[in-house]
Amino acid sequence: MNTLLIAVNAKYIHSNPAVYSLRAYAKGCPGRVEIAEYTINQPREQVLADIYRRKPDVAAFSCYLWNIEYVRALIPELAAVLPEVRIWAGGPEVSYDSERFLREVPEVELVMNGEGEAVFRKLLLAGENGWESVPGITRRLPGGEALANPPEPLLPMDEIPFPYRDLKAFENRIVYYESSRGCPFSCSYCMSSIEKTVRLRSLEKVERELAFFLENRVPQVKFVDRTFNCSHTHAMGIWRYIRDHDNGVTNFHFEIAGDLLTEEELALLAGMRPGLVQLEIGVQSTNPDTLAAVRRKTDLKRLAKTAERIRKAGNIHQHLDLIAGLPMEDLESFRRSFNQVYAMKPQQLQLGFLKVLKGSEMYRRAREFGIVYRRLPPYEVLSTPWLSYGELLELKSVEEMVEIYYNSSQYSHTIEYLETLFSDAYSLYSALGSFYLEKGYQGMNQSRMGRIEILRSFARKLHGCRMEECEERLLYDLYARENSKSRPDWALDLSDKKDAVYAFYQKEAEEKRYLKRQEPVRKLLHESHVEIFRSGKWLLFDYRNRDPLTGNAAVWDVTPAGGT
């Protein structure tokens, strides 16, 4: 029996660790298990044609929030062109409503509920007609009704094989890894709260598997553990290992609870190579009533101090999250949450919106809270008794501006100045979002130069804005990321400075005072840029030497003695 595990990812750079784990656990079973990964951006007919050419006996779909509508549309078409194929489904989007899913999608034979490795293996071992008694499935009865079998017990983590055979298929894609499953916390909006216990993979196994990534010089390994540092011993063991075996290339991403970090952990993290580790910390809200309503326990003062310690160490990319649309949080409360988290100065501030997920406590209590949300994926909040739809639209606009102008790290010097012209950070991004809406820019793709010009136009309308300083900062941001071939017409004309700049590079090639490398002038010119500002300042941007946290070039003030 040829079984095809099908993943439809949100983007090409993503991968689906679940299908790889199922295949690894099914090793040695009769028949052949293959994997097919697609994206929701591919035309459905293209995906259908590829599955058809593979001629599977079983097509098993991995179903998630981002792909369920795509999969629902694809399944009837697959059944029409391959009428003999047996269609299975699994994943969180069908596990918690499996009987209804089978009623609505009659082409599907069964749903694998919850954790799938053992269930999938037992289905393959049972053969084509013996799967009715397999635990952990909801199956279709001859009369069309659905029946859920008893659940499959959870596996010890060490019994789940390492899912990766080779990494050729993962070039230019994110590699995901899990060293634990479950979460000790009970946040009502999160699916991880369903499984109250935490299962840990042994450090011995984790170290062997991380060695595989390190030997293959994988650019990034993203841990999918829900609260990585819930076990101090486990977290310290892994962090010590990656510190001691750093290959100078691989970056490791962890989702942690910031207020749980200990002094020992902070000291260890502070000694990491810049760029070796990045941390994602869910703050979600700074409103105590909101946190209580969603059953989230957070020591906000300790979290803020921890975020400050990490920021000052200067070696770890810090990513802080907020969720809009939670109970008890109105616009003014969210504004406070935003400003408080923004003041922690993370490299990224992710502004997300509540999604009422099947199986979660929030799903069961949405009516009680008065939360109105989309009935189709991604089940995102539309309004609450505390936030109107119009106010959520304002927050969407703020989210877009933060993503463009803050999270990209490409406009930080200009944004830092513009913040001084507003009462708080939220007001800046709200005003910028209103400007985008007024000019019709929202949702439009823009070049970096286009974003620079929009920011300049916005600044020109602000009371008290000193445009000479603002334009100097805009130029700084423009060249901090790349040696732009385009040059704004409002920048200083450097045509009469070419000889002076070339003379600087000749001297630099001899003295190696800033760039500190043995290269001819021509190559130095290609790998760096000297910008001369109206104020007379000269700045040298070195694109071979970048900040590992922001990606921006190293910068030196090389203003000649006496100015220009």
Side-chain angles (χ1 to χ4, degrees):
M1 184 167 68
N2 175 22
T3 303
L4 186 65
L5 294 168
I6 301 168
V8 185
N9 303 320
K11 297 179 181 178
Y12 172 77
I13 62 168
H14 297 167
S15 60
N16 184 314
V19 293
Y20 290 91
S21 190
L22 262 62
R23 182 180 68 176
Y25 197 74
K27 187 177 180 180
C29 289
R32 187 169 72 255
V33 178
E34 296 179 342
I35 290 172
E37 288 195 88
Y38 310 102
T39 79
I40 57 174
N41 300 310
Q42 287 180 259
R44 212 167 57 239
E45 57 269 24
Q46 185 183 96
V47 174
L48 178 66
D50 188 68
I51 298 173
Y52 175 84
R53 293 186 185 105
R54 293 171 182 261
K55 294 291 192 297
D57 299 304
V58 174
F61 288 88
S62 184
C63 302
Y64 291 88
L65 195 68
W66 58 82
N67 72 9
I68 187 62
E69 292 303 301
Y70 190 104
V71 168
R72 276 176 172 266
L74 181 60
I75 284 174
E77 297 171 350
L78 179 62
V81 298
L82 284 177
E84 301 302 317
V85 72
R86 307 179 77 166
I87 301 176
W88 300 348
E93 193 54 31
V94 295
S95 283
Y96 300 101
D97 202 6
S98 54
E99 292 182 28
R100 179 178 176 181
F101 180 75
L102 286 177
R103 288 196 302 271
E104 293 178 351
V105 190
E107 296 84 1
V108 177
E109 187 175 48
L110 62 86
V111 171
M112 294 178 277
N113 300 319
E115 188 171 273
E117 287 90 352
V119 176
F120 181 62
R121 181 178 179 85
K122 288 180 179 180
L123 284 169
L124 297 185
L125 291 173
E128 293 192 17
N129 298 301
W131 47 261
E132 289 88 348
S133 61
V134 171
I137 67 168
T138 299
R139 56 193 175 90
R140 189 182 301 283
L141 299 175
E145 291 299 311
L147 177 67
N149 287 358
E152 172 67 29
L154 299 175
L155 291 168
M157 284 297 288
D158 277 6
E159 290 186 15
I160 301 172
F162 185 58
Y164 299 105
R165 297 175 181 175
D166 64 65
L167 296 170
K168 290 179 183 176
F170 296 92
E171 191 172 350
N172 302 318
R173 299 170 72 198
I174 299 171
V175 174
Y176 297 96
Y177 178 77
E178 59 182 351
S179 70
S180 67
R181 286 184 181 175
C183 182
F185 303 111
S186 303
C187 305
S188 64
Y189 51 81
C190 182
M191 297 292 289
S192 297
S193 64
I194 295 170
E195 187 183 333
K196 305 298 182 186
T197 58
V198 178
R199 289 168 290 150
L200 302 173
R201 203 164 180 80
S202 68
L203 284 174
E204 181 184 6
K205 273 187 174 290
V206 172
E207 288 175 1
R208 284 203 306 267
E209 291 161 0
L210 295 184
F212 174 80
F213 297 134
L214 290 164
E215 288 163 8
N216 284 276
R217 302 175 73 78
V218 173
Q220 185 181 59
V221 177
K222 192 165 187 176
F223 276 65
V224 294
D225 304 44
R226 297 313 301 165
T227 306
F228 174 78
N229 62 324
C230 64
S231 166
H232 171 71
T233 304
H234 186 74
M236 284 293 289
I238 292 174
W239 282 338
R240 283 195 189 103
Y241 183 84
I242 65 174
R243 177 199 64 187
D244 296 343
H245 296 81
D246 180 18
N247 61 11
V249 174
T250 305
N251 162 267
F252 294 90
H253 176 105
F254 302 93
E255 187 172 335
I256 67 164
D259 57 328
L260 294 185
L261 283 176
T262 66
E263 284 296 320
E264 187 180 17
E265 289 168 343
L266 284 166
L268 176 62
L269 290 167
M272 300 280 195
R273 166 180 63 84
L276 174 59
V277 164
Q278 60 188 54
L279 300 177
E280 181 174 353
I281 300 173
V283 183
Q284 320 313 11
S285 172
T286 63
N287 183 331
D289 294 334
T290 296
L291 295 175
V294 298
R295 301 177 63 187
R296 183 173 179 83
K297 296 179 181 179
T298 303
D299 184 336
L300 290 170
K301 288 184 179 178
R302 184 173 178 182
L303 189 153
K305 288 179 180 177
T306 296
E308 176 71 2
R309 286 270 300 273
I310 293 170
R311 184 183 69 80
K312 284 186 174 178
N315 65 323
I316 289 176
H317 184 284
Q318 193 170 198
H319 177 147
L320 301 182
D321 297 338
L322 285 171
I323 298 178
L326 294 175
M328 311 295 176
E329 185 136 71
D330 60 15
L331 186 61
E332 187 55 37
S333 169
F334 189 85
R335 182 189 193 120
R336 285 195 299 273
S337 291
F338 179 94
N339 286 328
Q340 287 173 321
V341 174
Y342 190 88
M344 298 178 194
K345 299 182 180 179
Q347 275 72 38
Q348 279 196 291
L349 196 170
Q350 181 173 314
L351 173 49
F353 293 80
L354 175 66
K355 294 174 177 58
V356 182
L357 304 175
K358 293 177 184 177
S360 69
E361 181 184 322
M362 187 62 69
Y363 179 76
R364 296 190 296 273
R365 298 184 65 191
R367 183 172 293 180
E368 173 192 338
F369 282 124
I371 293 173
V372 179
Y373 61 95
R374 296 182 187 277
R375 293 299 164 172
L376 293 176
Y379 313 117
E380 192 169 277
V381 62
L382 291 170
S383 68
T384 75
W386 304 273
L387 270 178
S388 69
Y389 179 62
E391 289 169 330
L392 280 165
L393 287 179
E394 178 181 328
L395 294 182
K396 285 279 186 182
S397 176
V398 169
E399 177 203 23
E400 183 182 359
M401 296 303 99
V402 169
E403 192 64 28
I404 292 169
Y405 288 107
Y406 182 83
N407 289 345
S408 68
S409 298
Q410 295 183 34
Y411 311 92
S412 54
H413 271 66
T414 308
I415 289 296
E416 182 181 53
Y417 171 66
L418 294 180
E419 282 176 34
T420 66
L421 305 177
F422 288 85
S423 59
D424 58 21
Y426 181 91
S427 297
L428 164 60
Y429 292 100
S430 178
L432 189 52
S434 295
F435 182 77
Y436 259 65
L437 184 63
E438 174 193 332
K439 298 296 184 181
Y441 296 143
Q442 280 193 324
M444 292 176 59
N445 288 325
Q446 300 276 356
S447 65
R448 284 193 69 243
M449 184 61 76
R451 301 290 189 199
I452 290 279
E453 293 291 356
I454 291 171
L455 204 53
R456 179 173 177 267
S457 297
F458 170 72
R460 287 172 67 87
K461 296 184 65 175
L462 299 179
H463 177 71
C465 181
R466 299 186 301 275
M467 284 309 298
E468 184 175 334
E469 179 174 351
C470 184
E471 289 176 350
E472 184 164 310
R473 286 171 176 263
L474 285 165
L475 277 177
Y476 184 108
D477 286 329
L478 176 64
Y479 287 108
R481 183 54 61 96
E482 62 180 340
N483 193 354
S484 176
K485 302 305 178 188
S486 301
R487 185 170 177 79
D489 56 13
W490 41 266
L492 184 66
D493 183 0
L494 300 183
S495 57
D496 62 342
K497 302 288 193 297
K498 287 182 179 179
D499 290 343
V501 170
Y502 193 80
F504 165 82
Y505 274 103
Q506 285 180 311
K507 186 176 180 182
E508 179 60 24
E510 295 172 5
E511 297 181 356
K512 304 175 187 58
R513 190 175 171 192
Y514 302 102
L515 302 179
K516 300 187 185 304
R517 50 186 181 263
Q518 186 69 43
E519 302 286 3
V521 170
R522 187 174 180 180
K523 191 164 186 182
L524 293 179
L525 281 163
H526 178 72
E527 296 175 345
S528 65
H529 170 75
V530 169
E531 180 59 29
I532 303 174
F533 299 89
R534 294 187 186 279
S535 62
K537 182 188 295 183
W538 289 38
L539 292 183
L540 171 64
F541 298 87
D542 181 7
Y543 304 112
R544 279 261 303 264
N545 183 8
R546 293 181 180 270
D547 184 329
L549 305 189
T550 66
N552 287 332
V555 184
W556 289 275
D557 187 335
V558 296
T559 308
T564 57

